[in-house]
Amino acid sequence: MKHFLQFSDFTRQEFEYLFERTHYIKALFKSYTIHHPLKDRMLAMVFEKQSTRTRVSFEAGIHQLGGSSINLTTGETQLGRGEPIEDVARVISRMVDLVMIRTYDQSIIEKFAAHSRVPVINGLTNQFHPCQILADIFTYIEHRGSITGKTVAWIGDGNNMCSTWLQAAAIFDFELHVASPEGYAINQSLIAPYESPHLTTYSDPREAVRGADLVTTDVWTSMGFESETDERKRDFAAFQVDRDMMARAHPQALFMHCLPAHRGEEVSEEVLEGAQSVVWDEAENRLHAQKALMEYLILGHVTPQSAS
Ligand code: CP
Ligand code: NVA
C-alpha cells in the first residue's frame, strides 16, 4: 500500500506513469467519455483548513471515476473534541477506500497514515502541498515539454509550496531559484537532503528570475499564519511578481500560482491575467492529475483497456 504524503514518496518513473494517465484521463473527460475504474469506491476528505480547489477537485474527481466522497471538517467531527488522530485513522480507514487530509503539521498526516488501512493523500500541510506540484509539473509539460534541465524561480515565502518544489527539483532534475525576504527561507531541515545541486537562494528576486523558464509565487500569508499578516505585508513588499520581474525571465517563461491569489500583493493583476500566466490551466489540472493519483493508489498500474 502506498501513501502520497510528500512529493518524494514517489519515484520519477511513478510520476511519468501518472502524467501519462493524467493526459489520458483528461482526454476522456474532455470528450465526455465515461471512465469508472473506481466504481463504488469511497474517498473520505478531512479538512482541518479551508479549501476551494482541493475540495472541488477531489470531490468531482472521485465522482467522475465512479466513486463517491464524504467531506469531514474538524468542527463537525469528534476531531474537534480531541479524538486522537490514531483512533480517527483506524476507524475511518475501515470504512472507506482512500483518505485525503488537509491539516497543520506534517506529523499529523504521518500519524494518520501509520494507523490507516487505506492509502492517504496529503491535501496540504504546513510543510508540503504535493498534489499542487503534481498538477503544476503536468501543466508545465503540457505547455512547454519536459521540465528537466529547466529553471524554476520561486519568489516569496519559503512555505509548503516552496519546499515541495524543492523535492520536485531533485526528482525531475531542474534548478530551483528561491528568493525570500530575510526570516522567510525554507526551514533548514526540509532543505538539507535536497540543497545541492538543485537549489540556489537569492536575496534579490530580480536576480532569482533571471532567465527562468517558470516564475511562480504564492500568498504572503499561508493558512495558519494569519496573525502575522500585517508584518508579512511589510516584509514582502519588494517581492511582488510584476511586469518588470517577468521581463527578466526567459521570453517564453510561464507564470504559475497555486491560487487563491492576492492581486497587488504577491502578483500584479497584469501578470496574473497576462499572456504568460497559466494559472487557470494549473487549477483545472488539479482535477485530472488527482484522478490519476486516486486511480493509481487504489488500483496500481492499469492499462487504458483494463481501466475503462
Ligand atoms: N491551491 C489550493 O490548494 O487551493 P485551495 O486552498 O482552494 O484548495
Ligand atoms: N501556501 C498556501 C497555499 C494555499 C493553497 C497555504 O498554505 O495557505
Side-chain angles (χ1 to χ4, degrees):
M1 182 177 72
K2 285 202 75 101
H3 302 295
F4 190 49
L5 305 184
Q6 45 184 298
F7 206 78
S8 58
D9 285 345
F10 283 7
T11 63
R12 183 169 178 157
Q13 287 70 28
E14 285 177 300
F15 285 116
E16 275 162 10
Y17 168 76
L18 281 179
F19 292 149
E20 228 175 78
R21 285 304 287 174
T22 302
H23 184 73
Y24 173 74
I25 285 170
K26 182 170 180 174
L28 293 180
F29 176 80
K30 296 288 179 186
S31 62
Y32 299 95
T33 305
I34 288 174
H35 178 57
H36 282 173
L38 301 186
K39 189 167 183 302
D40 289 338
R41 304 298 184 116
M42 175 70 81
L43 166 74
M45 304 187 290
V46 181
F47 282 102
E48 299 216 82
K49 290 175 174 171
Q50 289 153 310
S51 170
T52 298
R53 279 143 289 268
T54 303
R55 165 85 195 268
V56 176
S57 55
F58 271 105
E59 190 163 335
I62 190 76
H63 176 79
Q64 290 162 15
L65 293 171
S68 51
S69 64
I70 307 174
N71 187 45
L72 303 163
T73 60
T74 316
E76 292 164 343
T77 61
Q78 299 286 5
L79 271 171
R81 299 180 67 245
E83 182 169 13
I85 197 80
E86 295 88 335
D87 296 0
V88 175
R90 281 182 284 194
V91 172
I92 293 180
S93 70
R94 282 176 181 238
M95 300 179 183
V96 303
D97 302 281
L98 185 63
V99 178
M100 187 286 305
I101 309 179
R102 167 167 287 196
T103 187
Y104 292 89
D105 198 74
Q106 183 74 10
S107 62
I108 300 172
I109 200 165
E110 278 166 8
K111 225 180 260 177
F112 192 107
H115 293 85
S116 174
R117 284 186 168 187
V118 299
V120 178
I121 298 171
N122 181 347
L124 182 146
T125 58
N126 288 353
Q127 287 83 358
F128 299 114
H129 197 2
C131 291
Q132 183 69 53
I133 303 300
L134 183 69
D136 290 7
I137 294 181
F138 179 78
T139 306
Y140 186 87
I141 295 169
E142 268 193 324
H143 283 268
R144 294 285 184 267
S146 173
I147 197 165
T148 298
K150 297 287 166 58
T151 298
V152 175
W154 175 267
I155 306 302
D157 196 10
N159 63 14
N160 43 12
M161 283 289 297
C162 183
S163 46
T164 312
W165 269 114
L166 182 56
Q167 292 195 336
I171 292 168
F172 288 96
D173 198 14
F174 59 83
E175 291 287 318
L176 183 67
H177 291 184
V178 174
S180 307
E182 215 183 311
Y184 297 97
I186 315 181
N187 183 310
Q188 194 57 40
S189 67
L190 300 177
I191 292 185
Y194 303 101
E195 192 153 20
S196 176
H198 302 286
L199 174 67
T200 315
T201 54
Y202 298 81
S203 45
D204 183 349
R206 290 167 306 180
E207 287 301 314
V209 298
R210 195 185 295 279
D213 301 287
L214 168 62
V215 178
T216 182
T217 187
D218 189 8
V219 291
W220 291 341
T221 304
S222 284
M223 290 179 279
F225 297 84
E226 288 79 3
S227 64
E228 300 173 10
T229 301
D230 292 343
E231 196 183 336
R232 283 171 173 261
K233 274 188 186 166
R234 286 193 296 275
D235 294 345
F236 283 82
F239 286 73
Q240 181 182 102
V241 178
D242 58 13
R243 188 169 52 168
D244 173 59
M245 216 184 272
M246 285 304 292
R248 291 165 191 266
H250 189 283
Q252 292 295 307
L254 298 177
F255 172 77
M256 287 191 195
H257 188 311
C258 63
L259 305 175
H262 291 73
R263 292 163 170 83
E265 292 187 14
E266 75 275 4
V267 60
S268 67
E269 167 90 26
E270 202 177 18
V271 168
L272 189 76
E273 301 289 358
Q276 288 167 285
S277 172
V278 291
V279 299
W280 314 117
D281 289 345
E282 185 188 355
E284 178 190 324
N285 282 334
R286 291 288 302 277
L287 171 73
H288 310 303
Q290 290 162 192
K291 283 168 73 178
L293 174 66
M294 290 192 281
E295 185 193 68
Y296 177 62
L297 288 174
I298 294 183
L299 300 179
H301 281 248
V302 290
T303 61
Q305 292 74 18
S306 68
S308 312

